[in-house]
Amino acid sequence: MASASSSFSTLHLNFSPQTSSKSTKHPSLSIRHPIIKSAASEKQSISQPPLPKAAPPKIRKIPGDYGLPLVGPWKDRQDYFYDQGRDEFFKSRIQKYKSTVFRTNMPPGPLISFNSKVIALLDGKSFPTLFDTDKVEKKDIFTGTYMSSTDLTGGYRILSYLDPSEPSHAKLKNLMFFLLSQSRNRIIPEFHNSYTELFDNLENELATKGKVSFGPANDQAAFNFLARSFYGVNPNDTKLGSDGPSLVTKWVLFQLHPLLMLGLPRPIEDGILHTFSLPPFLVKKDYKKLYDFFYQNSVTILDEAERVGISREEACHNLLFTTCFNTFGGMKIFFPNMLKWVGRAGVKVHTELAKEIRSAIKSNGGNVTMSVMEKMPLLKSIVYESLRIEPPIPAQYAKAKRDFVIQSHDAAFEVKEGEVLYGFQPFATKDPKIFDQAEEFVPGRFIGEEGEKLLDHVFWSNGPESGKPTVNNKQCAGKDFVVLASRLLLVEFFRRYDSFDIEVGVSPLGAAVTVTSLKRATF
């Protein structure tokens, strides 16, 4: 979680690319598409007439429809989850309407959401409209066309559901920046400690069973790391013990079940979990355990909250949500996804990455720092490429504040005030008109000056990777923190191992990664 705000400036989690002409290029993993340079002279004659302005695209009616009340949303939900599947749901409509912008219904629909109508934005040009606070608002539209009960968050509308125009937004976001700032010296050492425990346990279980699931071990390590680095406490030394990840997962399920496939029989999953909201009282005791843990171990942050006019109770509910839903949830989904793509990249990439990491650390006296990781271009590119090809949060929503025109690559469309916009991020960040080899994992894609320019089109954080979270936008307060933690995972992994093998399955949230071999470092 990072920002350009004054309260956070001391953390120095600035991962914006250096656009120097001396940018390092990786010899064997460079981007495979050519860099096209203009043959025209940079100096134009004074008498040369200016080029004519391109004609604005013709306004086109937004294609698609919502169908009959109740029936249309239900039918689209069946297509989305079961009859077509998520990706084919979007691909088929792009082909049908010959447009990456169209009208459709998004799950869950009735009886959880009675207004499932959205305008889908499925290309890299229209997608950034979702971040334009002059045109759209984000009030109560965080998870989709429905909002989870505030009974799951202590009766408060949490920061993620607030629009920047609301007075509480700036106070709460600044509090998250303060959380990061006061924990800055613990982040790198506590990540090392928590993930050393993870790798030790993986090796022991791998030796006895021949394979080991990465997910549960990562959940425990991620929760321990966040508690130790943000709040200076080891959960195992408290009443919470090792229960944190399971309690969080259950609580998150009560918020996201309308959007998940859990592998249950269709009549149960769709007839219940996609149609009715699970009652919050079923997780009330679990949530209280988490709340007590955060309240007891965040005294400094709660003091700061009171100083700026936020009650300790509201602040604590927000700290819990930010740590558990946003940050832990992101690590739970993204870390296995990233290991999946790196594992599939093969031994050559593993060797190059291990050499880069070990060499840079050695040149820094054996110390891992944020500055030394800036000298690892392949590491940085692989993290960005993982975020591009499979962003941890695939959906973005916003509501039009006023009438305006939105543009795709091929057309322009009129959006009316109050209409809901939906962006499916994996289509935007795999837009073939922006990225060459868009469907492929290219480890060196973001290396060099031209590669760094592509970060403008990586949107995982509710804004471009080249952007900065501030109190005036909805970009993730933890953008730079997540990038840092993701780099640290690969640093710790390839300091210890030369290569690894995995098996990949599916889970309701991201990939299910099973480690089948770990080759200890030999150089």
Side-chain angles (χ1 to χ4, degrees), residues 39-232:
S41 170
E42 293 182 3
K43 296 183 179 180
Q44 291 186 343
S45 168
I46 295 176
S47 61
Q48 182 177 346
L51 295 174
K53 291 183 178 180
K58 184 178 180 180
I59 300 293
R60 179 184 173 190
K61 180 182 177 182
I62 301 175
D65 63 76
Y66 302 115
L68 296 173
L70 299 179
V71 176
W74 180 85
K75 177 63 170 63
D76 283 344
R77 189 174 77 201
Q78 303 310 302
D79 285 346
Y80 181 90
F81 284 119
Y82 307 105
D83 298 334
Q84 291 180 308
R86 185 186 66 181
D87 286 13
E88 185 58 32
F89 176 88
F90 295 120
K91 288 178 182 178
S92 65
R93 284 156 178 77
I94 290 174
Q95 294 169 356
K96 177 181 179 180
Y97 302 126
K98 295 180 172 53
S99 175
T100 52
V101 176
F102 54 83
R103 298 183 182 277
T104 189
N105 296 286
M106 284 304 297
L111 302 168
I112 296 175
S113 168
F114 283 94
N115 184 6
S116 56
K117 300 175 180 179
V118 304
I119 299 170
L121 312 178
L122 303 182
D123 62 82
K125 186 171 183 179
S126 64
F127 191 90
T129 305
L130 293 158
F131 316 136
D132 188 340
T133 55
D134 181 54
K135 296 177 179 177
V136 302
E137 69 171 17
K138 298 275 193 171
K139 183 177 181 180
D140 296 340
I141 202 165
F142 173 58
T143 49
T145 59
Y146 73 102
M147 179 181 173
S148 300
S149 171
T150 56
D151 289 344
L152 292 166
T153 51
Y156 290 95
R157 290 175 58 239
I158 297 300
L159 175 61
S160 293
Y161 288 96
L162 300 179
D163 186 72
S165 63
E166 298 182 75
S168 296
H169 181 271
K171 289 182 179 181
L172 288 169
K173 197 165 187 180
N174 270 326
L175 185 66
M176 300 309 133
F177 294 152
F178 177 83
L179 168 68
L180 286 159
S181 180
Q182 62 87 38
S183 63
R184 62 189 180 276
N185 294 328
R186 295 191 295 263
I187 291 172
I188 292 178
E190 291 299 353
F191 192 97
H192 172 77
N193 294 337
S194 298
Y195 277 80
T196 294
E197 294 169 7
L198 176 148
F199 294 134
D200 287 343
N201 292 335
L202 284 185
E203 288 183 21
N204 291 335
E205 192 168 346
L206 188 62
T208 57
K209 298 182 180 179
K211 62 173 60 176
V212 56
S213 175
F214 178 75
N218 176 64
D219 289 355
Q220 193 66 62
F223 190 87
N224 289 346
F225 159 63
L226 294 173
R228 293 167 177 175
S229 59
F230 286 175
Y231 306 101

Side-chain angles (χ1 to χ4, degrees), residues 359-373:
S359 175
I361 294 173
K362 183 178 180 181
S363 70
N364 197 44
N367 298 315
V368 177
T369 61
M370 286 184 279
S371 60
V372 80
M373 284 188 285

Side-chain angles (χ1 to χ4, degrees), residues 16-17 452-453 455-458 463-468 475 479:
S16 295
E452 289 170 349
K453 291 178 182 178
L455 293 175
D456 291 342
H457 306 285
V458 177
E465 183 58 34
S466 54
K468 288 294 177 186
Q475 188 155 27
K479 178 177 89 68

Side-chain angles (χ1 to χ4, degrees), residues 401-412:
K401 285 183 176 180
R402 55 179 174 81
D403 296 356
F404 63 89
V405 174
I406 191 170
Q407 291 189 23
S408 67
H409 292 296
D410 306 312

